[in-house]
Amino acid sequence: MAWRGWAQRGWGCGQAWTPPAGGRSYEELTAALAPSRLLRRRFNFFIQQKCGFRKAPRKVEPRRSDTSSEAYKRSALIPPVEETAFYPSPYPIRTLVKPLFFTVGFTGCAFGSAAIWQYESLKSRVQSYFDGIKADWLDSIRPQKEGDFRKEINKWWNNLSDGQRTVTGIIAANVFVFCLWRVPSLQRTMIRYFTSNPASKVLCSPMLLSTFSHFSLFHMAANMYVLWSFSSSIVNILGQEQFMAVYLSAGVISNFVSYVCKVATGRYGPSLGASGAIMTVLAAVCTKIPEGRLAIIFLPMFTFTAGNALKAIIAMDTAGMILGWKFFDHAAHLGGALFGIWYITYGHELIWKNREPLVKIWHEMRTNSPKKGGGPK
């Protein structure tokens, strides 16, 4: 009875306890039954929890997978993907089958289309030449409009080199996609189709579309500046049609190399940007003209040869891929550079110079096709 009363007082749950008549006093009972001060504190803490002072439940943080946005936020060049779900395949090697077939098929179609494009361009130059003579004659007898805005645009366009005119469309496409990133309602669509990630449900089309996609203004400006700087050299080396085939194929091939690296290392994450394709252009020019002099835009007083610049870039991207640096997609950079070196060294002879059978087939289709209004069967 005395123990129950002492416990109730310690709990604070019942009424105050009073010693029974003829019994021992409260002070005597406390001195006899109370243990050491440390034990008493533990006991009181224990029974206070039982009397309604429950311990607050521990907040459990949601477990993030390896594809969480924590890794993506390390680079300001990548869009926020907190609400985007990625689905890594339980069989990673199978993930690369569709991208492999897409890479081979798209590359073949790109070079085939470029060969046909070149055929049509050569065929139309004679007609364009006579049309140009006629237009010049009409302009000479037609009164000229001073200050015409369209005339100024045409003058600016005609003063550009062939390479600069070629990459103007590429730059315009990149600017357009960059503006789409600023639309909040399109964020999920942009992340799904304009960022390449082997853990995404959409694997093939982002390999091409991400080549025209930039989330950061600085990223886009730097890439487009490099592309504009090397445009005249690469188009003089390859020609307009062959350059477009190499550029588009390089974007897909560099993304496939990035897929392989991510699957092999397990470091999944979205990638975007034209850096892989531009690395192909840079590597092709540096391989063809290794003695050319280059300089950094912010440090024009320091110059170096193109060959040394290419070696330094390959060494840096190789180290970044092995060490897992997150700021750039070093695997895509390395894949683009190696493709550019290979194409200038061997690919031009193996692919472009063997386009004649396809051009003959296209020529026969064009000449044998019936003209409008009917023709001989």
Side-chain angles (χ1 to χ4, degrees), residues 24-36:
R24 295 162 62 177
S25 66
Y26 170 75
E27 290 77 6
E28 295 176 352
L29 185 61
T30 302
L33 296 178
S36 64

Side-chain angles (χ1 to χ4, degrees), residues 52-69:
F53 297 93
R54 296 184 178 179
K55 188 177 180 181
R58 187 177 181 182
K59 188 177 181 181
V60 180
E61 295 291 337
R63 185 177 181 183
R64 297 179 181 269
S65 63
D66 294 338
T67 60
S68 66
S69 62

Side-chain angles (χ1 to χ4, degrees), residues 72-112:
Y72 309 149
K73 287 184 178 180
R74 297 179 184 176
S75 174
L77 309 181
I78 300 175
V81 290
E82 287 88 348
E83 300 180 359
T84 304
F86 298 114
Y87 306 90
S89 173
Y91 306 100
I93 301 300
R94 297 182 183 179
T95 307
L96 301 175
V97 175
K98 289 177 64 177
L100 175 61
F101 281 104
F102 177 78
T103 301
V104 175
F106 179 84
T107 302
C109 292
F111 280 96

Side-chain angles (χ1 to χ4, degrees), residues 290-302:
E291 68 281 358
R293 305 297 297 183
L294 302 178
I296 302 175
I297 179 174
F298 300 110
L299 301 172
M301 69 288 299
F302 298 103

